[in-house]
Amino acid sequence: AKVMIEGLVDEYDFRHDISRQTFEQLCADLFERVEIPIQEVLRTANLDESSILSLEIFGGGSRVPAIQERLSRAFGGRPISKHLN
């Protein structure tokens, strides 16, 4: 993938290519935290994973396989939908 940040410093545009493997290595500590807010919300609502009938994600996270995998794992391997209309 190409990473582009316009006007990073003093109107300098940053461009760089990055592989999925490198991206996942750089973000590994962030990916480990994906499940924490889900667990907190379920606990606050007095629900458990089996109470949720379906999962829908949208936005940037829907394109990151590592996030999809962790969300699915948080709900017992249930498939995640990414086609919200």
Side-chain angles (χ1 to χ4, degrees):
K2 294 200 180 294
V3 176
M4 295 182 283
I5 304 172
E6 294 183 16
L8 179 64
V9 176
D10 297 326
E11 299 302 316
Y12 175 76
D13 295 338
F14 174 80
R15 292 184 173 91
H16 186 71
D17 292 336
I18 187 169
S19 69
R20 177 182 291 172
Q21 180 180 6
T22 302
F23 174 75
E24 289 183 357
Q25 288 172 346
L26 291 170
C27 298
D29 60 325
L30 300 173
F31 294 151
E32 292 303 320
R33 301 186 316 192
V34 167
E35 297 175 38
I36 295 170
I38 294 168
Q39 294 166 352
E40 290 176 5
V41 167
L42 290 173
R43 186 174 54 250
T44 301
N46 294 320
L47 298 171
D48 62 12
E49 295 84 8
S50 64
S51 302
I52 306 302
L53 301 177
S54 66
L55 303 170
E56 181 82 35
I57 63 172
F58 58 94
S62 65
R63 295 180 177 205
V64 182
I67 291 177
Q68 295 171 21
E69 175 188 327
R70 282 168 177 80
L71 289 173
S72 178
R73 184 176 61 203
F75 289 94
R78 195 172 310 156
I80 296 175
S81 180
K82 298 171 287 218
H83 307 289
L84 185 66
N85 290 330

